[in-house]
Amino acid sequence: MPTWHYSLQLRDESKIAKAVRYDIPVSIKYMREVVSVIRGMKLEDAKKLLENVVKLKEPIPFRRYHGKVSHRRGLADKYGWPAGRYPVKAAKFLLELLENVEANAENKGLDKDKLVIIHIAAHKGVTLKRYMPRAFGRATPKFRRTTNVEVVVREAS
Protein backbone atom coordinates (compact mmCIF):
# COMPACT_ATOMS: atom_id res chain seq x y z
CA MET A 1 0.00 0.00 0.00
CA PRO A 2 1.44 3.41 -0.88
CA THR A 3 2.18 6.03 1.72
CA TRP A 4 0.07 9.17 1.72
CA HIS A 5 0.90 12.70 2.85
CA TYR A 6 -1.04 15.95 3.10
CA SER A 7 -0.53 18.18 0.09
CA LEU A 8 0.10 21.13 2.46
CA GLN A 9 3.24 21.02 4.60
CA LEU A 10 3.48 23.46 7.52
CA ARG A 11 6.35 23.94 9.96
CA ASP A 12 4.38 25.00 13.04
CA GLU A 13 1.47 22.62 13.61
CA SER A 14 0.54 23.84 17.09
CA LYS A 15 -2.19 26.21 15.85
CA ILE A 16 -3.69 23.94 13.19
CA ALA A 17 -5.82 20.80 13.10
CA LYS A 18 -6.06 18.29 10.26
CA ALA A 19 -8.43 15.57 9.13
CA VAL A 20 -8.66 13.30 6.10
CA ARG A 21 -11.19 10.82 4.77
CA TYR A 22 -10.46 8.16 2.19
CA ASP A 23 -12.65 6.44 -0.37
CA ILE A 24 -15.74 8.61 -0.09
CA PRO A 25 -18.30 7.15 -2.53
CA VAL A 26 -18.83 10.47 -4.34
CA SER A 27 -17.53 11.48 -7.75
CA ILE A 28 -14.48 13.73 -7.76
CA LYS A 29 -16.35 16.15 -10.03
CA TYR A 30 -19.03 16.86 -7.44
CA MET A 31 -16.64 16.93 -4.50
CA ARG A 32 -14.31 19.37 -6.27
CA GLU A 33 -17.09 21.90 -6.74
CA VAL A 34 -18.22 21.76 -3.09
CA VAL A 35 -14.66 21.94 -1.77
CA SER A 36 -13.86 25.02 -3.86
CA VAL A 37 -16.82 26.89 -2.34
CA ILE A 38 -15.97 26.26 1.33
CA ARG A 39 -12.22 26.87 0.97
CA GLY A 40 -11.24 29.90 3.07
CA MET A 41 -14.51 30.05 5.01
CA LYS A 42 -14.94 30.00 8.75
CA LEU A 43 -15.71 26.50 9.95
CA GLU A 44 -19.14 27.41 11.34
CA ASP A 45 -20.14 29.20 8.13
CA ALA A 46 -19.05 26.21 6.04
CA LYS A 47 -21.10 23.85 8.21
CA LYS A 48 -24.18 26.06 7.88
CA LEU A 49 -23.75 26.21 4.10
CA LEU A 50 -23.47 22.43 3.83
CA GLU A 51 -26.51 21.94 6.06
CA ASN A 52 -28.48 24.23 3.74
CA VAL A 53 -27.29 22.23 0.74
CA VAL A 54 -28.53 19.01 2.37
CA LYS A 55 -31.91 20.70 3.00
CA LEU A 56 -31.96 21.85 -0.68
CA LYS A 57 -32.11 25.51 0.37
CA GLU A 58 -28.81 26.73 -1.08
CA PRO A 59 -27.15 25.52 -4.30
CA ILE A 60 -23.45 25.11 -5.01
CA PRO A 61 -22.06 26.80 -8.15
CA PHE A 62 -20.61 24.35 -10.67
CA ARG A 63 -17.80 26.23 -12.39
CA ARG A 64 -15.68 23.57 -14.08
CA TYR A 65 -18.14 20.73 -14.62
CA HIS A 66 -21.11 22.81 -15.72
CA GLY A 67 -22.22 21.09 -18.92
CA LYS A 68 -26.03 20.92 -19.04
CA VAL A 69 -26.30 22.31 -15.50
CA SER A 70 -29.28 24.59 -15.06
CA HIS A 71 -29.16 28.07 -13.54
CA ARG A 72 -30.27 28.55 -9.95
CA ARG A 73 -31.89 31.58 -8.43
CA GLY A 74 -29.52 33.79 -6.43
CA LEU A 75 -26.30 32.04 -7.43
CA ALA A 76 -25.13 34.79 -9.78
CA ASP A 77 -25.70 37.43 -7.10
CA LYS A 78 -23.73 35.56 -4.43
CA TYR A 79 -20.95 33.84 -6.40
CA GLY A 80 -21.00 35.54 -9.81
CA TRP A 81 -21.84 32.24 -11.51
CA PRO A 82 -25.41 31.17 -12.39
CA ALA A 83 -25.07 27.39 -12.97
CA GLY A 84 -25.33 25.16 -9.94
CA ARG A 85 -26.68 22.04 -8.27
CA TYR A 86 -27.45 20.56 -4.87
CA PRO A 87 -24.77 17.88 -4.24
CA VAL A 88 -26.44 16.43 -1.13
CA LYS A 89 -24.31 13.29 -0.86
CA ALA A 90 -21.04 15.21 -1.07
CA ALA A 91 -22.31 17.75 1.47
CA LYS A 92 -23.20 15.02 3.99
CA PHE A 93 -19.74 13.47 3.82
CA LEU A 94 -18.05 16.87 4.07
CA LEU A 95 -20.16 17.74 7.12
CA GLU A 96 -18.84 14.61 8.85
CA LEU A 97 -15.27 15.54 7.90
CA LEU A 98 -15.67 19.09 9.22
CA GLU A 99 -17.03 17.73 12.51
CA ASN A 100 -13.98 15.46 12.72
CA VAL A 101 -11.55 18.32 12.18
CA GLU A 102 -13.43 20.40 14.75
CA ALA A 103 -13.07 17.60 17.30
CA ASN A 104 -9.36 17.33 16.47
CA ALA A 105 -8.99 21.09 17.03
CA GLU A 106 -10.75 20.92 20.39
CA ASN A 107 -8.51 18.03 21.39
CA LYS A 108 -5.48 20.23 20.62
CA GLY A 109 -6.95 23.05 22.74
CA LEU A 110 -7.91 25.41 19.90
CA ASP A 111 -10.92 27.72 20.10
CA LYS A 112 -13.58 26.22 17.81
CA ASP A 113 -15.28 29.59 17.24
CA LYS A 114 -12.15 31.03 15.58
CA LEU A 115 -11.36 28.16 13.20
CA VAL A 116 -10.84 28.97 9.52
CA ILE A 117 -10.40 26.47 6.70
CA ILE A 118 -6.96 27.28 5.29
CA HIS A 119 -6.63 24.19 3.09
CA ILE A 120 -9.11 21.70 1.71
CA ALA A 121 -8.52 19.48 -1.28
CA ALA A 122 -10.28 16.62 -3.05
CA HIS A 123 -8.16 13.96 -4.71
CA LYS A 124 -9.21 11.11 -6.94
CA GLY A 125 -9.56 7.85 -5.04
CA VAL A 126 -9.70 4.28 -6.30
CA THR A 127 -12.16 3.37 -9.02
CA LEU A 128 -13.98 0.08 -8.48
CA LYS A 129 -14.41 -1.43 -11.92
CA ARG A 130 -17.39 -3.69 -12.47
CA TYR A 131 -18.98 -4.92 -15.67
CA MET A 132 -22.63 -5.72 -16.31
CA PRO A 133 -23.27 -8.47 -18.86
CA ARG A 134 -25.48 -7.48 -21.77
CA ALA A 135 -27.05 -9.21 -24.72
CA PHE A 136 -25.03 -10.84 -27.52
CA GLY A 137 -21.92 -11.33 -25.39
CA ARG A 138 -21.27 -7.67 -24.72
CA ALA A 139 -20.70 -5.94 -21.38
CA THR A 140 -21.29 -2.45 -20.02
CA PRO A 141 -18.84 -0.94 -17.51
CA LYS A 142 -20.18 0.22 -14.15
CA PHE A 143 -17.37 2.18 -12.54
CA ARG A 144 -17.67 3.23 -8.88
CA ARG A 145 -15.62 6.39 -8.40
CA THR A 146 -14.33 7.44 -4.98
CA THR A 147 -12.71 10.57 -3.58
CA ASN A 148 -10.16 11.34 -0.87
CA VAL A 149 -10.58 14.67 0.94
CA GLU A 150 -8.13 16.42 3.26
CA VAL A 151 -8.84 19.51 5.36
CA VAL A 152 -6.64 21.78 7.49
CA VAL A 153 -8.01 24.45 9.82
CA ARG A 154 -6.20 27.21 11.68
CA GLU A 155 -7.17 29.29 14.65
CA ALA A 156 -7.60 32.84 13.36
CA SER A 157 -6.10 35.51 15.58
Side-chain angles (χ1 to χ4, degrees):
M1 179 143 192
T3 58
W4 185 88
H5 301 287
Y6 284 89
S7 59
L8 177 75
Q9 300 294 329
L10 297 172
R11 293 182 187 206
D12 182 26
E13 295 197 357
S14 61
K15 293 288 185 185
I16 67 165
K18 301 187 281 190
V20 66
R21 180 144 184 193
Y22 301 105
D23 299 332
I24 299 172
V26 176
S27 173
I28 183 71
K29 293 182 176 187
Y30 281 85
M31 193 62 81
R32 181 236 175 248
E33 300 291 356
V34 181
V35 160
S36 66
V37 169
I38 66 173
R39 185 179 292 120
M41 291 178 109
K42 287 188 173 182
L43 191 64
E44 289 300 319
D45 295 340
K47 285 170 66 174
K48 286 178 188 174
L49 174 73
L50 293 176
E51 287 168 0
N52 286 337
V53 170
V54 170
K55 294 176 187 173
L56 303 178
K57 292 185 177 179
E58 194 166 348
I60 297 292
F62 274 46
R63 295 178 189 266
R64 178 174 292 173
Y65 304 105
H66 59 84
K68 296 189 179 179
V69 175
S70 61
H71 292 192
R72 303 291 177 181
R73 182 183 314 243
L75 264 185
D77 298 333
K78 186 172 182 180
Y79 299 105
W81 189 264
R85 283 186 174 158
Y86 298 94
V88 173
K89 192 173 176 184
K92 285 181 183 178
F93 282 107
L94 274 178
L95 266 174
E96 291 178 12
L97 184 64
L98 292 183
E99 289 170 4
N100 286 346
V101 77
E102 184 178 14
N104 293 346
E106 283 188 57
N107 195 24
K108 277 186 131 177
L110 303 177
D111 185 13
K112 69 177 188 175
D113 296 329
K114 295 181 179 179
L115 294 177
V116 176
I117 300 172
I118 60 167
H119 172 75
I120 185 166
H123 303 287
K124 192 188 301 186
V126 297
T127 300
L128 303 174
K129 297 181 178 179
R130 303 289 185 264
Y131 294 92
M132 186 169 65
R134 303 302 294 264
F136 303 108
R138 294 176 297 143
T140 300
K142 291 181 75 173
F143 293 160
R144 186 75 170 157
R145 302 176 74 184
T146 61
T147 305
N148 304 330
V149 180
E150 61 186 25
V151 61
V152 179
V153 294
R154 178 186 291 156
E155 187 177 41
S157 50

Coordinates of all heavy atoms in Angstrom, one line a residue, residues 4-10 12-13 15-21 97-105 108 110 115 118-119 149-154:
W4 N 0.8 8.0 2.1 CA 0.1 9.2 1.7 C 0.4 10.3 2.6 O 0.6 10.1 3.8 CB -1.4 8.9 1.8 CG -2.3 10.0 1.4 CD1 -2.7 10.2 0.1 CD2 -2.8 11.0 2.1 NE1 -3.5 11.3 0.0 CE2 -3.5 11.9 1.3 CE3 -2.7 11.4 3.5 CZ2 -4.2 13.0 1.7 CZ3 -3.3 12.5 3.9 CH2 -4.1 13.3 3.0
H5 N 0.6 11.5 2.1 CA 0.9 12.7 2.9 C -0.1 13.8 2.5 O -0.6 13.8 1.4 CB 2.3 13.2 2.5 CG 3.4 12.1 2.8 ND1 3.7 11.8 4.1 CD2 4.1 11.3 2.0 CE1 4.7 10.8 4.0 NE2 4.9 10.6 2.8
Y6 N -0.2 14.8 3.4 CA -1.0 16.0 3.1 C -0.3 16.8 2.0 O 0.9 16.8 2.0 CB -1.2 16.8 4.3 CG -2.2 16.3 5.3 CD1 -1.8 15.4 6.3 CD2 -3.5 16.6 5.3 CE1 -2.7 14.9 7.2 CE2 -4.5 16.1 6.2 CZ -4.1 15.3 7.1 OH -5.0 14.8 8.0
S7 N -1.1 17.4 1.2 CA -0.5 18.2 0.1 C -0.1 19.6 0.6 O 0.5 20.3 -0.2 CB -1.5 18.3 -1.1 OG -2.7 18.9 -0.6
L8 N -0.3 19.9 1.8 CA 0.1 21.1 2.5 C 1.0 20.8 3.6 O 0.7 20.1 4.5 CB -1.1 21.9 3.0 CG -0.8 23.2 3.7 CD1 -0.4 24.3 2.7 CD2 -2.0 23.7 4.5
Q9 N 2.3 21.3 3.6 CA 3.2 21.0 4.6 C 3.5 22.3 5.4 O 3.9 23.3 4.8 CB 4.6 20.5 4.0 CG 4.4 19.2 3.2 CD 4.0 18.1 4.1 OE1 4.4 18.0 5.3 NE2 3.3 17.1 3.6
L10 N 3.3 22.3 6.7 CA 3.5 23.5 7.5 C 4.5 23.1 8.6 O 4.6 22.0 9.0 CB 2.2 23.9 8.2 CG 1.0 24.3 7.3 CD1 -0.2 24.5 8.0 CD2 1.4 25.6 6.6
D12 N 4.9 24.9 11.7 CA 4.4 25.0 13.0 C 3.0 24.4 13.0 O 2.1 25.0 12.5 CB 4.4 26.5 13.5 CG 3.8 26.6 14.9 OD1 3.9 25.6 15.7 OD2 3.3 27.7 15.3
E13 N 2.8 23.3 13.6 CA 1.5 22.6 13.6 C 0.8 22.7 15.0 O -0.2 22.0 15.2 CB 1.6 21.1 13.2 CG 2.1 21.0 11.8 CD 1.9 19.6 11.3 OE1 1.4 18.7 12.1 OE2 2.2 19.3 10.1
K15 N -1.0 25.4 16.0 CA -2.2 26.2 15.8 C -3.1 25.7 14.8 O -4.0 26.4 14.4 CB -1.8 27.7 15.5 CG -1.2 28.4 16.7 CD -2.1 28.7 17.8 CE -1.4 29.5 18.9 NZ -2.3 29.7 20.0
I16 N -2.8 24.5 14.2 CA -3.7 23.9 13.2 C -4.2 22.6 13.6 O -3.7 21.9 14.5 CB -2.9 23.8 11.8 CG1 -1.8 22.8 12.0 CG2 -2.4 25.1 11.4 CD1 -1.3 22.3 10.6
A17 N -5.3 22.1 12.9 CA -5.8 20.8 13.1 C -6.1 20.2 11.7 O -6.5 21.0 10.8 CB -7.1 20.8 13.9
K18 N -5.9 18.9 11.6 CA -6.1 18.3 10.3 C -7.0 17.1 10.4 O -7.2 16.5 11.4 CB -4.7 17.8 9.7 CG -3.7 18.9 9.6 CD -2.4 18.3 8.9 CE -1.5 17.6 9.9 NZ -0.2 17.2 9.3
A19 N -7.6 16.8 9.2 CA -8.4 15.6 9.1 C -8.4 15.1 7.7 O -8.3 16.0 6.8 CB -9.9 15.8 9.6
V20 N -8.6 13.8 7.5 CA -8.7 13.3 6.1 C -9.7 12.1 6.1 O -9.9 11.5 7.1 CB -7.2 12.8 5.6 CG1 -6.8 11.7 6.5 CG2 -7.2 12.5 4.2
R21 N -10.3 12.0 4.9 CA -11.2 10.8 4.8 C -10.9 10.2 3.4 O -10.9 10.9 2.4 CB -12.6 11.3 4.9 CG -13.6 10.2 4.7 CD -14.8 10.3 5.6 NE -15.6 9.1 5.4 CZ -16.8 9.0 5.8 NH1 -17.4 10.1 6.4 NH2 -17.5 8.0 5.7
L97 N -16.7 15.2 7.9 CA -15.3 15.5 7.9 C -15.0 16.8 8.7 O -14.0 16.9 9.4 CB -14.7 15.6 6.5 CG -13.2 15.9 6.4 CD1 -12.5 14.7 6.9 CD2 -12.8 16.1 4.9
L98 N -15.9 17.8 8.5 CA -15.7 19.1 9.2 C -15.9 18.9 10.7 O -15.3 19.5 11.6 CB -16.6 20.2 8.7 CG -16.3 20.6 7.2 CD1 -17.2 21.8 6.8 CD2 -14.8 21.1 7.1
E99 N -16.8 18.0 11.1 CA -17.0 17.7 12.5 C -15.8 17.0 13.1 O -15.4 17.2 14.2 CB -18.3 16.9 12.7 CG -19.6 17.7 12.5 CD -20.8 16.9 12.4 OE1 -20.7 15.6 12.6 OE2 -21.9 17.4 12.2
N100 N -15.2 16.1 12.3 CA -14.0 15.5 12.7 C -12.8 16.4 12.9 O -12.1 16.3 14.0 CB -13.5 14.4 11.7 CG -14.4 13.2 11.7 OD1 -15.2 13.0 12.6 ND2 -14.3 12.4 10.7
V101 N -12.6 17.4 12.0 CA -11.5 18.3 12.2 C -11.8 19.3 13.3 O -10.9 19.7 14.0 CB -11.2 19.1 10.9 CG1 -12.3 20.1 10.6 CG2 -9.9 19.6 10.9
E102 N -13.1 19.6 13.6 CA -13.4 20.4 14.7 C -13.1 19.7 16.1 O -12.6 20.3 17.0 CB -14.9 20.8 14.7 CG -15.3 21.7 15.8 CD -16.8 22.1 15.7 OE1 -17.6 21.5 14.9 OE2 -17.2 23.1 16.3
A103 N -13.4 18.4 16.1 CA -13.1 17.6 17.3 C -11.6 17.5 17.5 O -11.1 17.6 18.6 CB -13.7 16.2 17.2
N104 N -10.8 17.4 16.4 CA -9.4 17.3 16.5 C -8.8 18.7 17.0 O -7.9 18.7 17.8 CB -8.7 17.0 15.1 CG -9.1 15.6 14.6 OD1 -9.5 14.8 15.4 ND2 -8.8 15.4 13.4
A105 N -9.4 19.8 16.6 CA -9.0 21.1 17.0 C -9.3 21.3 18.5 O -8.4 21.8 19.3 CB -9.7 22.2 16.2
K108 N -6.8 19.5 20.6 CA -5.5 20.2 20.6 C -5.6 21.5 21.5 O -4.6 22.2 21.7 CB -5.0 20.6 19.2 CG -4.3 19.6 18.5 CD -3.8 20.1 17.2 CE -2.4 19.7 17.0 NZ -1.8 20.1 15.7
L110 N -7.6 24.2 20.7 CA -7.9 25.4 19.9 C -9.3 25.9 20.1 O -10.2 25.1 20.5 CB -7.7 25.1 18.4 CG -6.3 24.6 18.0 CD1 -6.3 24.3 16.5 CD2 -5.3 25.6 18.3
L115 N -12.0 29.0 14.2 CA -11.4 28.2 13.2 C -11.7 28.6 11.8 O -12.9 28.9 11.5 CB -11.8 26.7 13.4 CG -11.3 26.1 14.7 CD1 -11.8 24.7 14.8 CD2 -9.8 26.1 14.8
I118 N -8.1 26.7 6.1 CA -7.0 27.3 5.3 C -6.6 26.4 4.1 O -6.0 26.9 3.1 CB -5.7 27.5 6.2 CG1 -5.2 26.3 6.8 CG2 -6.0 28.6 7.2 CD1 -3.8 26.4 7.4
H119 N -6.9 25.1 4.2 CA -6.6 24.2 3.1 C -7.7 23.1 3.1 O -8.0 22.5 4.1 CB -5.2 23.6 3.3 CG -4.9 22.5 2.3 ND1 -4.6 22.7 1.0 CD2 -4.9 21.2 2.5 CE1 -4.4 21.6 0.4 NE2 -4.5 20.6 1.3
V149 N -10.5 13.2 0.6 CA -10.6 14.7 0.9 C -9.7 14.9 2.2 O -9.8 14.2 3.2 CB -12.0 15.1 1.2 CG1 -12.1 16.6 1.5 CG2 -12.9 14.8 0.0
E150 N -8.9 16.0 2.1 CA -8.1 16.4 3.3 C -8.5 17.9 3.6 O -8.8 18.6 2.7 CB -6.6 16.3 2.9 CG -6.2 17.2 1.8 CD -4.8 17.0 1.4 OE1 -4.2 15.9 1.6 OE2 -4.2 18.0 0.8
V151 N -8.5 18.2 4.9 CA -8.8 19.5 5.4 C -7.9 19.9 6.5 O -7.5 19.1 7.3 CB -10.3 19.6 5.8 CG1 -10.6 18.7 7.0 CG2 -10.7 21.0 6.2
V152 N -7.5 21.2 6.5 CA -6.6 21.8 7.5 C -7.3 23.1 7.9 O -7.6 23.9 7.1 CB -5.2 22.0 7.0 CG1 -4.3 22.7 8.1 CG2 -4.6 20.8 6.4
V153 N -7.4 23.2 9.3 CA -8.0 24.5 9.8 C -7.0 25.1 10.7 O -6.1 24.5 11.3 CB -9.3 24.2 10.6 CG1 -10.4 23.7 9.7 CG2 -9.1 23.2 11.7
R154 N -7.1 26.4 10.8 CA -6.2 27.2 11.7 C -7.0 28.1 12.6 O -8.1 28.6 12.2 CB -5.3 28.1 10.8 CG -4.3 28.9 11.7 CD -3.5 29.9 10.8 NE -2.5 29.1 10.1 CZ -2.0 29.5 8.9 NH1 -2.3 30.7 8.4 NH2 -1.1 28.8 8.3

